[in-house]
Amino acid sequence: MQNVLIVEDMPEIRYWLGQTAQQAFPQLKICAVSHVREALSQIKAQTFDLALVDLSLPDGDGVQVLLALREQQSSALSVVVTIHDDDEHLFPALQAGAFGYLLKDQPQELLVAQLLRITQGEPPLSPAIARRVLGYFAQAQTRRAQSMQALEGQIALFSREDDVLLRVSKGFTLPEIASQLGISRHTVADHVKQIYRKLGVSSRAEAALEAMRRGMIRS
């Protein structure tokens, strides 16, 4: 392993992923970007052995990056690093060429150990993802469809996003929300990013108004 591409728009998490990759492969040279367009440009400009790709980016979907790597650098190993553990994110990523799929809400040492599986030719998969993949193929059933259709004109959120929105609206800090939900601060920050993007808001006040409109809190 010599060169790694990290595609993550949150600076704190981007730095954390760089540290994680270098713990697994100390000789790695890191190229870190925050947008799909930057990633596509770097894929054309240089060769990568490994790519750590978030799925939700400001200007598009990380799947676009996976597809570009598969088409232009077939020897590069693409690993998704995300908060999303559902079928709607997992299987399109695998179909687009992801070699591994890791969840951010894990201790750094566990992520390092999972990345090191690459040296044995094994795909790095978080335990929950491995179980989901095995269950999918073992049962050979139609995947559970999540309609996520809007109720009364509302944009649908995942249940965990509802949990985070409620707490953000009540004024809890990110560390407090992380403690209440038993997840990492990184994961909470990622959920907040997704909620703001989905709802088209940019502040706690706007998020609180949206939560009131949804009947989650009272005025």
Side-chain angles (χ1 to χ4, degrees):
M1 292 285 175
Q2 294 183 346
N3 297 314
V4 59
L5 173 65
I6 296 177
V7 189
E8 164 62 56
D9 65 316
M10 299 187 68
E12 183 179 359
I13 299 180
R14 193 163 59 241
Y15 175 75
W16 176 68
L17 288 176
Q19 285 187 319
T20 303
Q22 286 195 317
Q23 284 189 36
F25 308 106
Q27 305 303 316
L28 273 183
K29 295 180 181 178
I30 295 174
C31 173
V33 299
S34 58
H35 291 71
V36 170
R37 66 176 182 275
E38 295 171 333
L40 298 182
S41 176
Q42 290 299 325
I43 290 169
K44 292 180 179 179
Q46 58 179 307
T47 301
F48 295 101
D49 303 297
L50 176 66
L52 304 181
V53 182
D54 188 17
L55 292 178
S56 301
L57 298 164
D59 61 339
D61 192 329
V63 168
Q64 297 172 261
V65 180
L66 301 177
L67 289 170
L69 284 164
R70 185 178 69 180
E71 293 171 2
Q72 300 176 44
Q73 300 191 29
S74 59
S75 62
L77 299 179
S78 300
V79 178
V80 170
V81 186
T82 182
I83 62 169
H84 299 297
D85 63 353
D86 54 275
D87 291 1
E88 287 74 14
H89 289 89
L90 170 62
F91 289 101
L94 296 180
Q95 291 168 356
F99 178 68
Y101 197 105
L102 300 174
L103 300 178
K104 291 177 180 176
D105 191 22
Q106 297 180 104
Q108 188 175 51
E109 58 270 21
L110 180 55
L111 289 176
V112 171
Q114 289 165 341
L115 286 176
L116 283 172
R117 296 177 63 182
I118 292 173
T119 62
Q120 305 299 320
E122 300 178 12
L125 296 171
S126 292
I129 297 302
R131 288 192 296 269
R132 185 177 290 275
V133 172
L134 289 173
Y136 173 82
F137 288 108
Q139 295 174 11
Q141 296 176 347
T142 302
R143 296 191 297 274
R144 178 175 59 91
Q146 296 182 334
S147 65
M148 302 307 294
Q149 294 179 346
L151 298 176
E152 300 179 351
Q154 295 178 359
I155 296 174
L157 300 177
F158 291 107
S159 60
R160 179 46 61 88
E161 290 173 338
D162 279 332
D163 294 338
V164 173
L165 174 60
L166 176 61
R167 287 161 174 80
V168 167
S169 303
K170 289 184 175 181
F172 290 108
T173 65
L174 297 189
E176 288 172 338
I177 296 173
S179 177
Q180 291 172 16
L181 297 180
I183 58 180
S184 72
R185 183 183 181 283
H186 293 316
T187 302
V188 174
D190 234 343
H191 280 306
V192 171
K193 177 183 71 173
Q194 299 306 316
I195 291 166
Y196 279 24
R197 186 174 298 158
K198 283 184 178 182
L199 301 183
V201 302
S202 58
S203 69
R204 281 179 176 268
E206 291 176 327
L209 288 174
E210 180 64 21
M212 290 172 57
R213 190 175 74 81
R214 291 165 176 262
M216 298 173 68
I217 58 177
R218 297 180 180 179
S219 58

